[in-house]
């Protein structure tokens, strides 16, 4: 049997959910990386970055306690 991780079988509904979550994380990280560059260049302020990060995290379903959150930029 094909196992993705911790008992999640390949082709299962759970696998699709895991893949979808990682796609969301990738989108979140890509967007935040762009915003961090804007912050470094002085285009946006730290306050604007923090507000934007919160909005993007909510949009992509990244919880505040997630290891994937990039609170500091």
């Amino acid at each position: 049997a094909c196992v993705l991780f911790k008992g999640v079988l390949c082709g299962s509904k759970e696998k699709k959910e895991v893949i979808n979550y990682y796609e969301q994380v990738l989108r979140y990280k890509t967007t935040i990386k762009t915003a961090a560059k804007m912050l470094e260049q002085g285009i946006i302020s730290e306050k604007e970055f923090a507000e934007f990060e919160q909005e993007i995290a909510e949009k992509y379903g990244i919880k505040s306690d997630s290891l994937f959150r990039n609170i500091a930029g």
Side-chain angles (χ1 to χ4, degrees), residues 14-64:
E14 291 85 3
K15 177 188 174 195
K16 291 175 185 169
E17 290 171 0
V18 167
I19 290 171
N20 184 51
Y21 181 71
Y22 283 104
E23 288 173 352
Q24 296 295 85
V25 168
L26 180 59
R27 289 181 180 118
Y28 163 81
K29 296 297 278 182
T30 301
T31 303
I32 293 304
K33 185 70 172 175
T34 301
K37 287 180 183 180
M38 293 173 69
L39 176 62
E40 287 175 15
Q41 295 172 355
I43 297 170
I44 61 174
S45 69
E46 288 187 28
K47 180 182 177 188
E48 290 170 317
F49 177 84
E51 291 171 355
F52 182 71
E53 189 279 333
Q54 179 65 37
E55 289 176 26
I56 295 303
E58 289 174 13
K59 176 179 179 177
Y60 291 118
I62 312 299
K63 296 181 182 178
S64 62

